Amino acid sequence: MSWIVLESVTKRFSNVVAVNKVNLQIERQDFFTLLGPSGCGKTTTLRLIAGLEFPDEGKIYIAGRDVTMELPKNRNVAMVFQNYALYPHMTVRENIAYPLFVRKVPKKEIERKVAFVAESLQISDLLERYPQQISGGQQQRVALARAVIQTPNVFLLDEPLSNLDAKLRIEARSFLKRLSMELGTSVVYVTHDQSEAMALSTKIAVMNQGHVLQVGTPRLIYDTPANTFVASFIGNPPMNIVECRFDGSTCVLDGQRIDLSDLPLSEFPKERGFIGIRPENIAFHTKEGDLIGEVYVVEPLGFETVVTVKVNTSSLRVLVFEDVPYKSGDKIFLKLRKDKLHVFDESGARILRRDEA
Amino acid sequence: MRDPRRASRIVSYILLAPIVAFFVSPILWLIVTPFSIRPSLFISLNGFTLNNFTRVFQNRTAVNAFRNSLVISVSVVVLVTTCALLAAYVLSRHDFKGRNVLLYMLVLFSSVVSGAAAMVPIFILNLRLGLINTELGVILTLSGGIMPTALFILKDFFDSIPRTYEEAALVDGSSPLQVMFRIFLPLSSKGVIVIAMLVFTQSWSNFLVPFVLLRSTSKYPVSVAIYTFFSEVGVPDIGMISAYAFLYTLPVIFAYVLIERKFGFSFYGGIKG
């Protein structure tokens, strides 16, 4: 049995189904990310694992024990909240010591552990201050310290980076990854930021409207998204997904035909369907290509350049890593990397290749 | 250069002056008159004396009334604060069936039925319960009157305390009782103290309830005892009344200053976002 198991867990708030028959298996060494847009049920899922909400249906197991209806204190979990929730009437030291204090750990040991944790998170000089007297980044470290001082079965992190400014967030991200390797137990992480999910996780579960759409390693989800939602949610800039008509193995996009007969697909959509291709898998060509379009916007980002190209009524984003001599209005050919092209059926589900089981 | 706003400022001063005088003069009278040799209804200090206070302290009814007021007010504070605290916590933190209906009914009954209009039924109720001329009757009646207000203010205050603190404490391994005593009460202590303060001033200054429910002079609180300071012919003893009123306002002012000093009426947050 996996370390944490959710078995067709459903949670309703009055008439809204926040989490709908979710099944998850999280292993002990996993850095497991719940990823999705706001309101998709990811935070509710985390709160269900923490014991702050109780499911209407289904079962939850942590470390092989059924904890479905257990109070949080009987689950041995540690959680970092989005707003850190540091107790404002306690000093940093008291905040960090609180989980041990309520578990009646001897004073000597608490002191020793607080000193150790504070040292390793570099907040030793802040111990006598109050939470409102330290900066956001420091508050985040204190919140982490309060979690890591315990030896929980699982660490639950609810968007811990979202309150930090962009520069600090990148720093904290690397720090968090380093920390998670030393924790030695599973981490469940909630975020709406796909780059955070990609950078940190060993496994990602993409959620939308209470459903888990796909679970897998970041690479797997990036390379073989299960449907158009996952495909467009992961990656920045996101995957180009264009609706088109299929004529056998030929895709007709606003009158332009793309021959896809080389693709070893199990089947092609009957009539309506979608093709998806990531911006970095499209190349420019001056004389020939699969599609002809018109440059719409050029956005140089320093290291890379994002070019939006209009192909009749659809637009495609192209990511290139050199300067482009084009300007708005230029006619241009686009070459698509066929091996990186995905075909989705009418309902948005990805059509498997013959070599994929 | 003349400030173009000067004219309008002068006008507003002229308009404000009588209003200020209206509010300030009773307070001035209260400060000046008790120390005056010939106390009158005018604000005038003609010679300093403590004689009025001496007379108050020699009066058995007056001294007793202070004790009575204290017993009544402190009892009401303890009763109302405890009950309102527990009720407001439940109403703020637990969403049970019929909660909103209950709250609505409470608002309706507490605001629509004013204290004075309910005096006759309250009197009859106390009579039937055998609580006429007892301190308990006064305490219960006053508590019942103040409770809804205290409850609503506390509930609103509790609603403003983010729930994440309590959730964090739960996940950190606390039992629900530990959450209450280690996290929730310290965080809400300011609101509770403000409510206790409010309840104290309300019950300390209430005249109607003890006046209607109490018969014997020895049980009168200060607010009613003042009323007895008339000479045989019905002329008010202004010296004694003013000295007594001065002493009567002191505890309230003292309580305000103490709480201001100690807690300051502000709330601090540790939640970011």
Side-chain angles (χ1 to χ4, degrees), chain B residues 48-77:
Chain B
F48 182 84
T49 176
L50 287 174
N51 188 29
N52 292 323
F53 291 97
T54 324
R55 278 167 59 221
V56 167
F57 285 117
Q58 281 161 353
N59 186 320
R60 283 287 300 277
T61 314
V63 177
N64 241 335
F66 261 104
R67 195 195 61 89
N68 294 337
S69 272
L70 208 64
V71 169
I72 291 173
S73 301
V74 170
S75 308
V76 172
V77 166

mmCIF file of all heavy atoms in Angstrom, chain B residues 48-77:
data_model
loop_
_atom_site.group_PDB
_atom_site.id
_atom_site.type_symbol
_atom_site.label_atom_id
_atom_site.label_comp_id
_atom_site.label_asym_id
_atom_site.label_seq_id
_atom_site.Cartn_x
_atom_site.Cartn_y
_atom_site.Cartn_z
ATOM 1 N N PHE B 48 -12.527 76.274 48.394
ATOM 2 C CA PHE B 48 -12.303 74.840 48.269
ATOM 3 C C PHE B 48 -12.649 74.115 49.564
ATOM 4 O O PHE B 48 -12.301 74.556 50.650
ATOM 5 C CB PHE B 48 -10.848 74.595 47.893
ATOM 6 C CG PHE B 48 -10.520 73.148 47.703
ATOM 7 C CD1 PHE B 48 -10.763 72.526 46.481
ATOM 8 C CD2 PHE B 48 -9.982 72.405 48.749
ATOM 9 C CE1 PHE B 48 -10.460 71.198 46.318
ATOM 10 C CE2 PHE B 48 -9.688 71.069 48.575
ATOM 11 C CZ PHE B 48 -9.928 70.457 47.358
ATOM 12 N N THR B 49 -13.341 72.975 49.436
ATOM 13 C CA THR B 49 -13.672 72.190 50.630
ATOM 14 C C THR B 49 -13.808 70.722 50.261
ATOM 15 O O THR B 49 -14.109 70.390 49.113
ATOM 16 C CB THR B 49 -14.980 72.666 51.271
ATOM 17 O OG1 THR B 49 -15.277 71.802 52.355
ATOM 18 C CG2 THR B 49 -16.139 72.627 50.290
ATOM 19 N N LEU B 50 -13.567 69.833 51.228
ATOM 20 C CA LEU B 50 -13.809 68.408 51.012
ATOM 21 C C LEU B 50 -15.007 67.961 51.842
ATOM 22 O O LEU B 50 -15.295 66.775 51.956
ATOM 23 C CB LEU B 50 -12.564 67.596 51.379
ATOM 24 C CG LEU B 50 -11.395 67.706 50.400
ATOM 25 C CD1 LEU B 50 -10.175 66.989 50.944
ATOM 26 C CD2 LEU B 50 -11.753 67.170 49.023
ATOM 27 N N ASN B 51 -15.681 68.945 52.398
ATOM 28 C CA ASN B 51 -16.798 68.685 53.307
ATOM 29 C C ASN B 51 -17.880 67.813 52.667
ATOM 30 O O ASN B 51 -18.427 66.909 53.299
ATOM 31 C CB ASN B 51 -17.387 70.018 53.769
ATOM 32 C CG ASN B 51 -18.416 69.789 54.862
ATOM 33 O OD1 ASN B 51 -18.302 68.810 55.603
ATOM 34 N ND2 ASN B 51 -19.402 70.654 54.942
ATOM 35 N N ASN B 52 -18.180 68.064 51.386
ATOM 36 C CA ASN B 52 -19.220 67.312 50.698
ATOM 37 C C ASN B 52 -18.891 65.813 50.678
ATOM 38 O O ASN B 52 -19.759 64.966 50.831
ATOM 39 C CB ASN B 52 -19.390 67.817 49.275
ATOM 40 C CG ASN B 52 -19.962 69.227 49.244
ATOM 41 O OD1 ASN B 52 -20.818 69.556 50.065
ATOM 42 N ND2 ASN B 52 -19.468 70.051 48.346
ATOM 43 N N PHE B 53 -17.604 65.518 50.471
ATOM 44 C CA PHE B 53 -17.186 64.111 50.442
ATOM 45 C C PHE B 53 -17.306 63.480 51.814
ATOM 46 O O PHE B 53 -17.731 62.343 51.958
ATOM 47 C CB PHE B 53 -15.751 63.996 49.917
ATOM 48 C CG PHE B 53 -15.650 64.331 48.452
ATOM 49 C CD1 PHE B 53 -15.264 65.595 48.026
ATOM 50 C CD2 PHE B 53 -15.967 63.370 47.500
ATOM 51 C CE1 PHE B 53 -15.184 65.896 46.692
ATOM 52 C CE2 PHE B 53 -15.884 63.681 46.163
ATOM 53 C CZ PHE B 53 -15.496 64.944 45.750
ATOM 54 N N THR B 54 -16.917 64.243 52.839
ATOM 55 C CA THR B 54 -17.026 63.727 54.201
ATOM 56 C C THR B 54 -18.462 63.341 54.500
ATOM 57 O O THR B 54 -18.736 62.278 55.071
ATOM 58 C CB THR B 54 -16.569 64.798 55.225
ATOM 59 O OG1 THR B 54 -15.488 65.519 54.655
ATOM 60 C CG2 THR B 54 -16.158 64.158 56.536
ATOM 61 N N ARG B 55 -19.389 64.193 54.079
ATOM 62 C CA ARG B 55 -20.794 63.920 54.334
ATOM 63 C C ARG B 55 -21.249 62.648 53.605
ATOM 64 O O ARG B 55 -22.022 61.851 54.139
ATOM 65 C CB ARG B 55 -21.648 65.109 53.916
ATOM 66 C CG ARG B 55 -21.685 66.195 55.001
ATOM 67 C CD ARG B 55 -22.256 67.492 54.480
ATOM 68 N NE ARG B 55 -23.600 67.349 53.974
ATOM 69 C CZ ARG B 55 -24.053 67.943 52.860
ATOM 70 N NH1 ARG B 55 -23.246 68.704 52.163
ATOM 71 N NH2 ARG B 55 -25.289 67.760 52.466
ATOM 72 N N VAL B 56 -20.730 62.462 52.402
ATOM 73 C CA VAL B 56 -21.086 61.252 51.645
ATOM 74 C C VAL B 56 -20.624 60.011 52.399
ATOM 75 O O VAL B 56 -21.367 59.053 52.577
ATOM 76 C CB VAL B 56 -20.478 61.278 50.235
ATOM 77 C CG1 VAL B 56 -20.566 59.902 49.579
ATOM 78 C CG2 VAL B 56 -21.179 62.309 49.372
ATOM 79 N N PHE B 57 -19.374 60.077 52.886
ATOM 80 C CA PHE B 57 -18.830 58.875 53.534
ATOM 81 C C PHE B 57 -19.475 58.598 54.883
ATOM 82 O O PHE B 57 -19.418 57.486 55.384
ATOM 83 C CB PHE B 57 -17.301 58.994 53.678
ATOM 84 C CG PHE B 57 -16.607 58.786 52.375
ATOM 85 C CD1 PHE B 57 -15.854 59.801 51.794
ATOM 86 C CD2 PHE B 57 -16.724 57.571 51.696
ATOM 87 C CE1 PHE B 57 -15.238 59.603 50.581
ATOM 88 C CE2 PHE B 57 -16.099 57.381 50.479
ATOM 89 C CZ PHE B 57 -15.358 58.404 49.911
ATOM 90 N N GLN B 58 -20.101 59.638 55.475
ATOM 91 C CA GLN B 58 -20.787 59.411 56.746
ATOM 92 C C GLN B 58 -22.190 58.845 56.543
ATOM 93 O O GLN B 58 -22.812 58.358 57.466
ATOM 94 C CB GLN B 58 -20.868 60.725 57.536
ATOM 95 C CG GLN B 58 -19.552 61.037 58.231
ATOM 96 C CD GLN B 58 -19.455 62.488 58.620
ATOM 97 O OE1 GLN B 58 -20.305 63.299 58.265
ATOM 98 N NE2 GLN B 58 -18.400 62.822 59.345
ATOM 99 N N ASN B 59 -22.660 58.908 55.317
ATOM 100 C CA ASN B 59 -24.008 58.444 55.010
ATOM 101 C C ASN B 59 -23.999 56.942 54.745
ATOM 102 O O ASN B 59 -23.354 56.465 53.804
ATOM 103 C CB ASN B 59 -24.514 59.216 53.784
ATOM 104 C CG ASN B 59 -25.967 58.907 53.479
ATOM 105 O OD1 ASN B 59 -26.392 57.754 53.582
ATOM 106 N ND2 ASN B 59 -26.704 59.926 53.111
ATOM 107 N N ARG B 60 -24.723 56.169 55.583
ATOM 108 C CA ARG B 60 -24.723 54.706 55.460
ATOM 109 C C ARG B 60 -25.229 54.246 54.094
ATOM 110 O O ARG B 60 -24.627 53.401 53.433
ATOM 111 C CB ARG B 60 -25.599 54.079 56.554
ATOM 112 C CG ARG B 60 -24.940 54.048 57.921
ATOM 113 C CD ARG B 60 -23.844 52.999 57.998
ATOM 114 N NE ARG B 60 -24.339 51.651 57.745
ATOM 115 C CZ ARG B 60 -24.908 50.878 58.663
ATOM 116 N NH1 ARG B 60 -25.073 51.334 59.880
ATOM 117 N NH2 ARG B 60 -25.300 49.649 58.360
ATOM 118 N N THR B 61 -26.352 54.802 53.677
ATOM 119 C CA THR B 61 -26.956 54.413 52.405
ATOM 120 C C THR B 61 -25.959 54.628 51.258
ATOM 121 O O THR B 61 -25.787 53.773 50.385
ATOM 122 C CB THR B 61 -28.212 55.264 52.130
ATOM 123 O OG1 THR B 61 -28.989 55.298 53.318
ATOM 124 C CG2 THR B 61 -29.028 54.685 50.995
ATOM 125 N N ALA B 62 -25.286 55.747 51.271
ATOM 126 C CA ALA B 62 -24.362 56.101 50.189
ATOM 127 C C ALA B 62 -23.222 55.090 50.094
ATOM 128 O O ALA B 62 -22.904 54.600 49.003
ATOM 129 C CB ALA B 62 -23.817 57.498 50.411
ATOM 130 N N VAL B 63 -22.642 54.767 51.235
ATOM 131 C CA VAL B 63 -21.499 53.856 51.224
ATOM 132 C C VAL B 63 -21.946 52.448 50.829
ATOM 133 O O VAL B 63 -21.306 51.781 50.017
ATOM 134 C CB VAL B 63 -20.798 53.845 52.603
ATOM 135 C CG1 VAL B 63 -19.655 52.845 52.604
ATOM 136 C CG2 VAL B 63 -20.306 55.239 52.944
ATOM 137 N N ASN B 64 -23.082 52.044 51.399
ATOM 138 C CA ASN B 64 -23.639 50.734 51.071
ATOM 139 C C ASN B 64 -23.916 50.594 49.578
ATOM 140 O O ASN B 64 -23.676 49.553 48.979
ATOM 141 C CB ASN B 64 -24.971 50.565 51.816
ATOM 142 C CG ASN B 64 -24.885 49.391 52.759
ATOM 143 O OD1 ASN B 64 -24.085 48.489 52.530
ATOM 144 N ND2 ASN B 64 -25.675 49.421 53.807
ATOM 145 N N ALA B 65 -24.422 51.684 48.997
ATOM 146 C CA ALA B 65 -24.802 51.656 47.589
ATOM 147 C C ALA B 65 -23.603 51.342 46.699
ATOM 148 O O ALA B 65 -23.730 50.653 45.683
ATOM 149 C CB ALA B 65 -25.431 52.988 47.189
ATOM 150 N N PHE B 66 -22.428 51.841 47.104
ATOM 151 C CA PHE B 66 -21.232 51.540 46.322
ATOM 152 C C PHE B 66 -20.944 50.048 46.297
ATOM 153 O O PHE B 66 -20.651 49.459 45.267
ATOM 154 C CB PHE B 66 -20.016 52.307 46.877
ATOM 155 C CG PHE B 66 -19.733 53.548 46.096
ATOM 156 C CD1 PHE B 66 -20.080 54.797 46.588
ATOM 157 C CD2 PHE B 66 -19.161 53.459 44.837
ATOM 158 C CE1 PHE B 66 -19.848 55.934 45.845
ATOM 159 C CE2 PHE B 66 -18.920 54.594 44.103
ATOM 160 C CZ PHE B 66 -19.264 55.838 44.605
ATOM 161 N N ARG B 67 -21.084 49.460 47.491
ATOM 162 C CA ARG B 67 -20.881 48.017 47.583
ATOM 163 C C ARG B 67 -21.899 47.294 46.695
ATOM 164 O O ARG B 67 -21.557 46.408 45.911
ATOM 165 C CB ARG B 67 -21.016 47.565 49.028
ATOM 166 C CG ARG B 67 -20.484 46.172 49.308
ATOM 167 C CD ARG B 67 -21.000 45.679 50.653
ATOM 168 N NE ARG B 67 -22.452 45.596 50.677
ATOM 169 C CZ ARG B 67 -23.150 44.505 50.298
ATOM 170 N NH1 ARG B 67 -22.507 43.433 49.906
ATOM 171 N NH2 ARG B 67 -24.466 44.502 50.324
ATOM 172 N N ASN B 68 -23.175 47.714 46.792
ATOM 173 C CA ASN B 68 -24.228 47.071 46.001
ATOM 174 C C ASN B 68 -23.962 47.182 44.502
ATOM 175 O O ASN B 68 -24.079 46.216 43.755
ATOM 176 C CB ASN B 68 -25.587 47.711 46.308
ATOM 177 C CG ASN B 68 -26.011 47.451 47.738
ATOM 178 O OD1 ASN B 68 -25.550 46.485 48.353
ATOM 179 N ND2 ASN B 68 -26.850 48.316 48.279
ATOM 180 N N SER B 69 -23.588 48.393 44.077
ATOM 181 C CA SER B 69 -23.302 48.620 42.655
ATOM 182 C C SER B 69 -22.196 47.695 42.177
ATOM 183 O O SER B 69 -22.272 47.107 41.100
ATOM 184 C CB SER B 69 -22.873 50.071 42.420
ATOM 185 O OG SER B 69 -23.998 50.865 42.190
ATOM 186 N N LEU B 70 -21.172 47.597 43.029
ATOM 187 C CA LEU B 70 -20.023 46.770 42.657
ATOM 188 C C LEU B 70 -20.432 45.308 42.512
ATOM 189 O O LEU B 70 -20.081 44.641 41.540
ATOM 190 C CB LEU B 70 -18.934 46.928 43.721
ATOM 191 C CG LEU B 70 -17.512 46.720 43.213
ATOM 192 C CD1 LEU B 70 -17.161 47.791 42.199
ATOM 193 C CD2 LEU B 70 -16.537 46.730 44.362
ATOM 194 N N VAL B 71 -21.218 44.821 43.488
ATOM 195 C CA VAL B 71 -21.668 43.423 43.448
ATOM 196 C C VAL B 71 -22.481 43.179 42.181
ATOM 197 O O VAL B 71 -22.236 42.221 41.438
ATOM 198 C CB VAL B 71 -22.518 43.093 44.697
ATOM 199 C CG1 VAL B 71 -23.205 41.736 44.521
ATOM 200 C CG2 VAL B 71 -21.639 43.084 45.938
ATOM 201 N N ILE B 72 -23.437 44.084 41.919
ATOM 202 C CA ILE B 72 -24.299 43.904 40.749
ATOM 203 C C ILE B 72 -23.468 43.949 39.457
ATOM 204 O O ILE B 72 -23.535 43.044 38.627
ATOM 205 C CB ILE B 72 -25.405 44.982 40.734
ATOM 206 C CG1 ILE B 72 -26.382 44.732 41.880
ATOM 207 C CG2 ILE B 72 -26.130 44.996 39.393
ATOM 208 C CD1 ILE B 72 -27.412 45.821 42.065
ATOM 209 N N SER B 73 -22.639 44.993 39.311
ATOM 210 C CA SER B 73 -21.913 45.174 38.053
ATOM 211 C C SER B 73 -20.934 44.043 37.791
ATOM 212 O O SER B 73 -20.873 43.511 36.678
ATOM 213 C CB SER B 73 -21.156 46.497 38.061
ATOM 214 O OG SER B 73 -22.065 47.541 38.232
ATOM 215 N N VAL B 74 -20.186 43.675 38.820
ATOM 216 C CA VAL B 74 -19.192 42.620 38.612
ATOM 217 C C VAL B 74 -19.894 41.308 38.268
ATOM 218 O O VAL B 74 -19.469 40.575 37.362
ATOM 219 C CB VAL B 74 -18.283 42.468 39.853
ATOM 220 C CG1 VAL B 74 -17.429 41.219 39.743
ATOM 221 C CG2 VAL B 74 -17.393 43.698 39.995
ATOM 222 N N SER B 75 -21.008 41.016 38.941
ATOM 223 C CA SER B 75 -21.745 39.789 38.641
ATOM 224 C C SER B 75 -22.235 39.807 37.196
ATOM 225 O O SER B 75 -22.118 38.815 36.470
ATOM 226 C CB SER B 75 -22.942 39.633 39.565
ATOM 227 O OG SER B 75 -22.539 39.754 40.888
ATOM 228 N N VAL B 76 -22.798 40.953 36.788
ATOM 229 C CA VAL B 76 -23.303 41.054 35.416
ATOM 230 C C VAL B 76 -22.156 40.886 34.423
ATOM 231 O O VAL B 76 -22.278 40.163 33.431
ATOM 232 C CB VAL B 76 -24.038 42.400 35.193
ATOM 233 C CG1 VAL B 76 -24.391 42.581 33.737
ATOM 234 C CG2 VAL B 76 -25.285 42.458 36.041
ATOM 235 N N VAL B 77 -21.021 41.514 34.696
ATOM 236 C CA VAL B 77 -19.871 41.406 33.792
ATOM 237 C C VAL B 77 -19.453 39.949 33.648
ATOM 238 O O VAL B 77 -19.281 39.439 32.538
ATOM 239 C CB VAL B 77 -18.688 42.266 34.293
ATOM 240 C CG1 VAL B 77 -17.409 41.897 33.563
ATOM 241 C CG2 VAL B 77 -18.998 43.738 34.100
#
